[in-house]
Structure formats: structure tokens, C-alpha cells
Amino acid sequence: SQTIHQWPATLVQPVGSPLSLECTVEGTSNPNLYWYRQAAGRGLQLLFYSVGIGQISSEVPQNLSASRPQDRQFILSSKKLLLSDSGFYLCAWSIAGGVGNTIYFGEGSWLTVV
Amino acid sequence: QKEVEQNSGPLSVPEGAIASLNCTYSDRGSQSFFWYRQYSGKSPELIMSIYSNGDKEDGRFTAQLNKASQYVSLLIRDSQPSDSATYLCAVEAGKSTFGDGTTLTVKP
């Protein structure tokens, strides 16, 4: 069966510091991968999605970036964090291609920028 | 207009009652519809998916889809306190778009 792991689970970072969140998927090949952000009490905002190694689509302009160095690895980064970057970050995957593909979420990472 | 709209709630029902959660969407080309449950501080987990007009039942949960009216709903029968959570509706038309969620509280 497929599993998705995301880390770290929580982190507190000062403004201006870098960020790296990592996610790996097991049990499937060539998945679609996603990074979402959820602000407190709000819905899910799609930040990035990837259909293959090195292929990243950005949904919203921001100071975050994503990379997919391996088929089942997805990384969210920032060079300098802003206070507004605080939130709940979720990595997710779905089967590639077609429609009706369910999105499955990792455990999430709570980021507090202070 | 948001692509996927849900009443934010909170929706409060007594234990044992039926909870009804609604979602409307704007893209008539949408083909797939999902309900997720999200407990406070946790990631969303899939409850049900529905692709065709009509009802789909899974245990105490029933999803209803009406493409002509562009709405999808989730009924929870015999609601339990453990059902207290935020319920997210997701609609796929090439990629998934999520509503902001409806918070449900089931009171013992």
C-alpha cells in the first residue's frame, strides 16, 4: 500500500531564516505531488504541484519554491521566511494521469514564523 | 465567486441526529467530487468520493451529487461526538479545488 511521510512535524523559525520541508511517497511510481498551505481556520491553498522529476508548477506568487529531485521526493523551501508564511503545510500525492484521482495527504507540518 | 463554496458553520447537531453538509461548485466540467474529514490540528482524510449523479452510501455516510444543480452533499446518519471535525469538499476538473470547509460539532 502507498504511504506518504512528511517532516518535520512542527518547527518554529525566525523571520528571515531559511525553510526546508520534505516529503516522500512509498508504494507507487511517478505520482503527482502537491504542496498545500492551510492558514489557521482557513481552507487549503495549492502552492505547487509536480507531475514528474524536475517539473514544478507554481499556483501562487510567493517567496516559497519547490523541487522534486527524485520521483517520490518533494521539497518545499524558502530562502527567507516571512511572518505570513506561518501555517499548516501539507504534502499530498495522487495517481498520475486521468481524472477522478483521489488526493492523499501527509501528516502535515506546522510552521510558526516568529 | 469561489470555485467551491461551503457554509463555514459551525453546524451543531445532537448525538444520533443526521448532519447535512452542502457544497456548491462553479465549473460545470467538474467530474469528480470528494469529501474529506479534518480533525483539529490534523491532516485531511478521505471519507468518500462520488462521480455520478445520485447517492452513494458507505456506512453512516451518504454522498449525494446533482451535476445539473452543481451541488454535492454529505449526510452523516446517527451522528457521534467523534464526527466533530471540519469537513472539506473537493471538486476536480483537471485538478482538485477545495472548499474552505464546514465545522461540525456533535453534542452528546
Side-chain angles (χ1 to χ4, degrees):
Chain A
S1 63
Q2 300 88 357
T3 57
I4 178 170
H5 300 287
Q6 181 181 343
W7 66 94
T10 60
L11 63 167
V12 179
Q13 296 283 101
V15 169
S17 65
L19 171 73
S20 180
L21 301 178
E22 190 167 340
C23 167
T24 60
V25 179
E26 298 176 358
T28 187
S29 296
N30 194 32
N32 291 335
L33 296 174
Y34 310 84
W35 279 110
Y36 287 88
R37 177 171 60 199
Q38 188 175 37
R42 302 295 299 277
L44 294 170
Q45 179 187 34
L46 179 61
L47 302 176
F48 301 95
Y49 70 94
S50 171
V51 299
I53 295 174
Q55 300 179 63
I56 309 294
S57 296
S58 174
E59 289 293 300
V60 293
Q62 58 211 326
N63 71 324
L64 299 171
S65 62
S67 62
R68 184 170 178 173
Q70 300 181 44
D71 180 45
R72 290 171 292 175
Q73 182 185 27
F74 207 22
I75 298 171
L76 183 69
S77 304
S78 174
K79 292 182 178 178
K80 291 185 177 182
L81 284 168
L82 306 173
L83 287 174
S84 58
D85 292 323
S86 295
F88 190 40
Y89 287 81
L90 290 155
C91 182
W93 75 275
S94 69
I95 296 173
V99 294
N101 296 321
T102 305
I103 290 180
Y104 299 95
F105 291 92
E107 304 95 333
S109 297
W110 283 100
L111 169 64
T112 302
V113 182
V114 296
Chain B
Q1 180 187 6
K2 288 186 176 180
E3 295 178 59
V4 180
E5 297 215 38
Q6 298 180 249
N7 290 328
S8 61
L11 173 65
S12 182
V13 300
E15 183 175 357
I18 296 175
S20 178
L21 305 163
N22 299 311
C23 171
T24 59
Y25 59 94
S26 60
D27 188 339
R28 285 192 171 274
S30 301
Q31 300 184 42
S32 309
F33 308 85
F34 308 88
W35 283 100
Y36 289 80
R37 176 177 60 200
Q38 185 176 23
Y39 291 115
S40 180
K42 303 295 184 181
S43 64
E45 56 180 334
L46 179 72
I47 299 176
M48 293 187 68
S49 57
I50 186 167
Y51 307 103
S52 304
N53 279 329
D55 296 357
K56 179 181 178 182
E57 187 175 319
D58 183 0
R60 295 186 296 111
F61 298 94
T62 299
Q64 300 173 319
L65 174 61
N66 184 323
K67 290 186 178 180
S69 299
Q70 294 177 246
Y71 84 79
V72 57
S73 62
L74 179 70
L75 300 178
I76 306 175
R77 292 183 301 281
D78 188 25
S79 295
Q80 301 297 309
S82 59
D83 295 326
S84 298
T86 296
Y87 290 81
L88 302 173
C89 171
V91 174
E92 185 187 21
K95 63 180 181 181
S96 289
T97 301
F98 287 80
D100 287 346
T102 298
T103 300
L104 171 67
T105 301
V106 181
K107 295 185 176 181

